Amino acid sequence: MKILFAFLLTLNSFAAIRAVYNTQTRDYIEYERFITQLPDAGHIVLGEFHNIKEIQSAQAKIIKDKIKAEDAYSTAQIMWEFINFTDQENINSTYQQFLKRSISAEEFVTKISGKQNISYTPILELTALTGRAPIALNLPREIKKQAMEGGIDSIDPIFVPSHHYLGGDDYLSRFREAMGGHAPEDMIQKYFLAQCLTDSVMSDKANTSHLGLSFIIAGSFHTDFYDGTVARLKKISSEQVTTIKLTNTEMFQEDFLLENQNYGFYADFIVITD
């Protein structure tokens, strides 16, 4: 670990980004090379730890630099887990206020997702580059709660993509571990159902809303090990899907760089911020 951080400190800092690791070639790469290695079309999935200013700032830099590098202003689309697809019409309307600058980017974020998500302002500010509102990927909590209590068949089919399925044993095992033994097994199964339904909805909305270059902002548990939302998106889309796991130096674990003997690599790239 000491050797790793000694290496990080010798790298040039690109905004908040300290290092980029390519898990396929198993080496650190320069930031500019990382941007060129990202596909010029398809889905770029940015798996994150939520509400950490340094991480959201790094995401914003990556999105901005990739759009600029590919001159993708007419095809780029920013998609976000923290807003519900049922609110898309209101999001679009509020977005017009932001484009006209009658409200700020911070006010826009607050109106569509709450003040607690203000760290995402740099990302949502970038939608001004494309002139398109962010795409809402999630499902309202009340619908998830209904599914947990009554099962998938208890909710309106409009909320269940045709390709929906319950995740496999590996995903459930990781989910159970993430719950930390704080819930009985029957509740874990219910929460897992809601998790998988969220994955299905997010992948569906990302696929149907895709133009040319999509940036998907989602929690890393939905994207780690090419599982969850990523696995479903790969099943339904013919587009390339590239994954990034973002962390800061405080939350970084050396395991992020390694191939897990059960699950494989966390993502195609690991990005470490201050």
Side-chain angles (χ1 to χ4, degrees):
M1 184 69 73
K2 290 181 179 178
I3 294 175
L4 169 66
F5 279 101
F7 177 83
L8 296 187
L9 293 173
T10 65
L11 295 178
N12 291 327
S13 177
F14 300 91
I17 296 174
R18 298 298 297 175
V20 179
Y21 187 82
N22 183 326
T23 63
Q24 305 309 303
T25 59
R26 305 191 187 198
D27 62 359
Y28 291 95
I29 59 175
E30 297 295 331
Y31 177 78
E32 289 94 339
R33 185 178 168 201
F34 160 63
I35 290 297
T36 63
Q37 287 185 358
L38 291 174
D40 58 6
H43 302 277
I44 297 176
V45 183
L46 297 101
E48 61 163 25
F49 292 106
H50 297 314
N51 303 110
I52 298 176
K53 182 180 179 181
E54 296 86 357
I55 290 177
Q56 276 80 65
S57 294
Q59 289 171 309
K61 177 170 177 57
I62 292 167
I63 294 170
K64 181 179 181 180
D65 289 346
K66 187 60 182 176
I67 291 176
K68 181 179 179 181
E70 302 300 338
D71 192 22
Y73 303 100
S74 63
T75 61
Q77 188 77 276
I78 294 173
M79 306 180 177
W80 190 20
E81 174 191 352
F82 273 16
I83 43 182
N84 298 324
F85 79 85
T86 52
D87 296 332
Q88 189 68 61
E89 186 174 339
N90 176 62
I91 292 167
N92 293 346
S93 176
T94 307
Y95 181 68
Q96 291 305 311
Q97 299 177 47
F98 164 65
L99 275 187
K100 295 174 183 176
R101 297 298 177 176
S102 57
I103 61 173
S104 66
E106 185 173 299
E107 290 171 322
F108 177 53
V109 171
T110 301
K111 283 177 177 288
I112 67 171
S113 67
K115 195 171 183 65
Q116 71 274 14
N117 294 316
I118 211 70
S119 64
Y120 292 86
T121 298
I123 299 173
L124 275 293
E125 177 76 56
L126 294 178
T127 58
L129 295 176
T130 67
R132 283 183 290 279
I135 296 297
L137 296 179
N138 217 323
L139 195 63
R141 286 187 178 182
E142 58 268 24
I143 302 299
K144 298 179 191 178
K145 183 178 180 182
Q146 184 180 342
M148 289 175 61
E149 293 175 347
I152 290 293
D153 292 340
S154 70
I155 64 176
D156 191 321
I158 194 173
F159 298 119
V160 185
S162 60
H163 53 80
H164 170 68
Y165 61 91
L166 201 62
D169 291 342
D170 284 350
Y171 197 27
L172 176 58
S173 177
R174 291 196 298 112
F175 187 81
R176 187 181 286 115
E177 183 179 345
M179 294 290 285
H182 299 305
E185 184 61 24
D186 63 325
M187 287 305 300
I188 288 176
Q189 293 292 337
K190 290 180 179 181
Y191 281 117
F192 186 61
L193 183 151
Q195 173 83 9
C196 293
L197 179 58
T198 301
D199 288 326
S200 293
V201 170
M202 289 204 296
S203 64
D204 187 69
K205 296 305 172 186
N207 184 49
T208 57
S209 303
H210 178 69
L211 293 178
L213 183 60
S214 296
F215 296 93
I216 299 171
I217 310 297
S220 58
F221 199 86
H222 289 286
T223 68
D224 282 348
F225 302 110
Y226 311 98
D227 209 339
T229 300
V230 173
R232 292 159 203 259
L233 184 56
K234 286 188 172 185
K235 282 180 180 292
I236 62 176
S237 175
S238 60
E239 298 283 342
Q240 183 173 350
V241 181
T242 302
T243 62
I244 303 168
K245 182 177 180 68
L246 293 105
T247 181
N248 60 9
T249 53
E250 181 180 352
M251 302 182 73
F252 173 78
Q253 301 175 30
E254 198 157 3
D255 285 350
F256 292 164
L257 309 181
L258 306 177
E259 183 175 13
N260 184 282
Q261 63 179 356
N262 295 317
Y263 311 126
F265 287 107
Y266 275 90
D268 295 311
F269 298 96
I270 310 299
V271 171
I272 306 167
T273 77
D274 286 332

